Amino acid sequence: MQDRPPVRVVYEDPDFVVVEKASGFLSVPGRGPEKRDCVCARVRDLYPDCIPNPEVHRLDMDTSGLMVVALKVDSQRNLSEQFRLRRTRKRYTALLDGRLEGERGTIELRFRLDLENRPRQIHDAENGKLGITHWERVSIESGVTRVAFVPVTGRTHQLRVHAAHDLGLGIPIVGDPLYGGGTGPAQLKLHACELGFQHPRTGEKLDFDSTPPF
């Protein structure tokens, strides 16, 4: 998403907006004035009546793709509950830094924050929270593997850990600075390409697609 804006609105509704976030851009504010610029801040600038805290869910800074951002309190509450109850539909595309031999499967792996190396996550069979991901190999392209991920749970760095860890796929995502060979921001080849949920007011089923920039 090198030539795309940090945030691009793909759908507008009085209750929410769906945006496409660029890799290397924050979903919510970080600590310090230099990290105030983010998806939520851009949405508040575009929509003056937007609530102060419109966050519904997050993408990692280096993950690109689709996000829904609430504009009203009731919508924020409803959409957040859909994510909490796993009633949303999410699909990601990634490039793995190597050749993946399997065709499809499910990864179930417990992991937690590495307190001595934040924000890195580490496998912990006893104290970690369970992450579940369905995956499917799409193609092999010049030595890297394109895969589709469908996360069942929504743990921090779940897809990145499940890709890189030996108990997962054992191949990190291309450009991952924490779990692979990435050397800086905006290199990660992980894109939230499909997002579906129910309209928070009408209950209508909505689905959105975004073409990966890689």
Side-chain angles (χ1 to χ4, degrees):
M1 227 180 259
Q2 299 294 332
D3 298 324
R4 303 188 190 186
V7 179
R8 184 174 70 89
V9 176
V10 299
Y11 183 84
E12 291 182 307
D13 185 277
D15 294 279
F16 62 87
V17 293
V18 175
V19 302
E20 185 183 66
K21 181 185 86 69
S23 177
F25 195 68
L26 290 167
S27 295
V28 297
R31 294 184 178 180
E34 73 281 2
K35 294 183 178 180
R36 289 178 181 171
D37 194 14
C38 63
V39 170
C40 289
R42 295 290 181 102
V43 169
R44 287 196 302 269
D45 288 343
L46 288 171
Y47 303 92
D49 293 332
C50 177
I51 57 177
N53 298 300
E55 172 192 353
V56 172
H57 65 121
R58 303 183 186 186
L59 295 178
D60 291 345
M61 182 178 74
D62 288 330
T63 301
S64 58
L66 294 171
M67 289 180 59
V68 57
V69 182
L71 299 179
K72 298 180 179 179
V73 172
D74 290 345
S75 300
Q76 200 267 354
R77 185 180 300 115
N78 180 285
L79 290 166
S80 296
E81 188 73 354
Q82 290 187 50
F83 276 87
R84 188 183 71 83
L85 296 176
R86 303 177 187 173
R87 292 176 178 169
T88 57
R89 299 170 294 282
K90 296 178 287 184
R91 187 179 180 91
Y92 293 72
T93 294
L95 292 182
L96 303 185
D97 199 7
R99 298 175 66 90
L100 179 63
E101 298 303 324
E103 294 185 358
R104 61 183 57 84
T106 299
I107 302 165
E108 297 188 13
L109 188 65
R110 293 184 178 274
F111 56 95
R112 62 168 176 80
L113 176 65
D114 183 351
L115 296 176
E116 298 180 355
N117 191 16
R118 297 170 183 264
R120 185 179 174 87
Q121 306 287 314
I122 57 174
H123 173 239
D124 187 332
E126 294 185 1
N127 301 309
K129 291 184 178 181
L130 180 64
I132 304 173
T133 303
H134 302 308
W135 63 270
E136 182 176 1
R137 187 182 68 192
V138 177
S139 61
I140 296 178
E141 308 164 9
S142 302
V144 301
T145 305
R146 185 176 295 270
V147 296
F149 286 126
V150 178
V152 177
T153 54
R155 310 297 182 203
T156 300
H157 294 181
Q158 177 172 315
L159 302 182
R160 299 164 69 176
V161 173
H162 281 183
H165 200 279
D166 289 342
L167 296 177
L169 299 181
I171 307 174
I173 297 174
V174 172
D176 193 329
L178 288 178
Y179 309 99
T183 58
Q187 297 177 0
L188 185 70
K189 301 304 187 225
L190 177 61
H191 185 80
C193 58
E194 296 180 20
L195 177 63
F197 52 89
Q198 288 185 321
H199 192 288
R201 183 167 42 81
T202 68
E204 178 187 1
K205 182 180 177 181
L206 301 171
D207 290 286
F208 303 93
D209 299 287
S210 171
T211 301
F214 49 80

